[in-house]
Amino acid sequence: MARVAHELLATNIRAVAKARGVSFVFLAAQAGISTERLLAIFSGEFDPDLNLLFKLADGLGVPLWLLFYDPQHN
């Protein structure tokens, strides 16, 4: 079963942020959003546009596709 996009996005952002030592406060600031908005993305309460997704990826220092990478489908 395919994972819901916001769940996959949240899982990958959390994993990359942890691996790189990037706090959610820092990441949110890099993307120009509040920490609350970032958490709303994780829960599926807010759908980010493509521009915001690129900012999140840039703030983590990864390509955009990595935010949606699902190892279960390779």
Side-chain angles (χ1 to χ4, degrees), residues 9-28 38 42 56 59-62 66-67:
L9 182 65
T11 297
N12 289 338
I13 288 175
R14 285 184 174 112
V16 172
K18 182 177 180 180
R20 294 181 178 245
V22 175
S23 73
F24 290 160
V25 173
F26 175 82
L27 180 59
L38 181 61
F42 290 173
L56 290 169
L60 291 167
V62 298
L66 188 64
L67 298 185

Side-chain angles (χ1 to χ4, degrees), residues 3-69:
R3 293 173 65 184
V4 177
H6 74 269
E7 292 173 357
L8 189 57
L9 182 65
T11 297
N12 289 338
I13 288 175
R14 285 184 174 112
V16 172
K18 182 177 180 180
R20 294 181 178 245
V22 175
S23 73
F24 290 160
V25 173
F26 175 82
L27 180 59
Q30 289 293 106
I33 60 173
S34 66
T35 305
E36 290 79 12
R37 178 59 51 106
L38 181 61
L39 297 176
I41 292 169
F42 290 173
S43 68
E45 296 173 20
F46 178 77
D47 289 325
D49 62 17
L50 190 55
N51 186 49
L52 180 51
L53 290 170
F54 272 110
K55 288 179 181 179
L56 290 169
D58 189 52
L60 291 167
V62 298
L64 178 61
W65 66 265
L66 188 64
L67 298 185
F68 293 98
Y69 176 71

